[in-house]
Amino acid sequence: MSNQPDVSRSAVVTPLRVAIALCLSAPFVAMLWVGSYARTDPAFIGIPFFYWYQMLWVLISTALTLTAYQLWKRDQRARTGRKGGAER
């Protein structure tokens, strides 16, 4: 047969996929909104807010990416289950 992708499958927007998109876009929005963290106070153990806020987002981004990955796996299992398990 042909190796062409199945064009008849359309993208489906589900609440789960919206949650995934929010998890992945939140760190970008937080870091691009510089006005929210462009200050020195409050300091945390002597580190200005500007720096510790960005480092905190490294941890938050890791957690959100892991959450998005787990949600994506759940979505893919659900889609495969509905199709009879033939696709991967």
Side-chain angles (χ1 to χ4, degrees):
M1 297 290 196
S2 174
N3 287 334
Q4 297 294 329
D6 186 9
V7 181
S8 64
R9 290 182 18 184
S10 62
V12 178
V13 177
T14 62
L16 190 60
R17 290 186 177 188
V18 171
I20 292 168
L22 289 174
C23 285
L24 294 176
S25 62
F28 290 105
V29 172
M31 290 294 95
L32 289 175
W33 185 22
V34 178
S36 70
Y37 62 91
R39 57 182 187 266
T40 57
D41 289 327
F44 176 69
I45 60 171
I47 302 170
F49 179 75
F50 180 80
Y51 295 111
W52 70 257
Y53 179 79
Q54 291 181 45
M55 291 300 107
L56 179 64
W57 268 101
V58 170
L59 300 174
I60 294 170
S61 297
T62 302
L64 288 173
T65 303
L66 179 63
T67 302
Y69 175 68
Q70 295 297 326
L71 291 174
W72 180 254
K73 284 191 343 184
R74 179 186 301 174
D75 183 58
Q76 292 305 304
R77 280 193 307 266
R79 288 180 62 122
T80 303
R82 279 182 288 196
K83 294 184 179 186
E87 282 187 7
R88 198 161 214 211

